[in-house]
Amino acid sequence: MSGAVDLSALKERAEAAAAGGRSAGSAGSGTAIVVTEENFESEVLQRSNQVPVVVALVSPRSPASLELADTLARLAATDGGSWVVARIEVDQNVRIAQAFGVQAIPTVVAVAAGQPLADFEGVQSEAQLRQWVDAVVGAVAGKLAGAPQTEPAEEPEDPRFTAAEAALDRGDYAGAAAAYQQIVDTEPGNAEAKAALRQVGFLARVREVESDTVAVADADPDNLDAQLAAADLEVFKQQPAAAFDRLIGLIGRTAGAERTTARTRLLELFELFDPAEPFVVAARRKLASALY
């Protein structure tokens, strides 16, 4: 049908109606849109630049036409917005019926990119409608802009995490740790709470470290507490590779309980980072060499 039907007059009339301040009168039921002369441009012509618009021209005088429109709407809903149905009552919108050259009710016309693409008259079975619609959608595949994407609704914040974060903002590390621990106790598989609990534990520990700890540790390589504190401070200062090397060196120089303590601290620091980080991968290799 493309080029055989001139819809420009309807567009001009719709623009004139809008300029006159009349309501568009658009209403919808599911994916079926009730279309009149006033909203024909927006709901059929403009929308057809995004997805095919199947125009069902019906009349209350023909119950079969109304049933056909309902069937089309149901199929459109099943297809999730890849095409839409515009339902037009010809008795109230004579000019639209004339523009489409309607000679029988129902008449169904597929519009794409503002132009009629295909049409049929009379009642069709649901299987026939499905085949016809699939052919229309396939004919314009990749040629239209597609339905506008809506932003996914934000998930509501978990009040448990909100309370824990509020405690952390106040500097209440003990309170934040207790809040995250409660989540972990209730949901042992909650990875976010576990990660947050590790972070809080690290922050609570590192805030007690003196600013000259690294110098003290460098001057006394065998001081276990100084080495552990210095490693924490280096991680806090965004120097994780240096912290890891410090503790791996300590593991290589110690044995027994001291070695276990150093190794445990190193593994705790590993967990603060993505395991795929290159500096974590390299440090794990060095640790394996130091242990074996």
Side-chain angles (χ1 to χ4, degrees), residues 108-158:
V108 177
V109 183
V111 179
Q115 295 294 326
L117 178 66
D119 73 314
F120 67 83
E121 295 178 347
V123 176
Q124 303 282 336
S125 69
E126 184 167 339
Q128 290 172 317
L129 291 175
R130 167 52 69 190
Q131 185 177 9
W132 185 81
V133 166
D134 287 347
V136 168
V137 173
V140 299
K143 300 176 182 178
L144 302 178
Q149 298 297 314
T150 57
E151 293 292 330
E154 293 186 5
E155 295 184 6
E157 293 186 2
D158 189 326

Side-chain angles (χ1 to χ4, degrees), residues 37-60:
E37 292 182 13
E38 286 77 9
N39 67 345
F40 182 85
E41 181 186 2
S42 61
E43 298 295 358
V44 175
L45 299 183
Q46 292 180 6
R47 189 183 292 264
S48 72
N49 290 316
Q50 300 169 345
V51 294
V53 177
V54 174
V55 178
L57 295 130
V58 301
S59 170

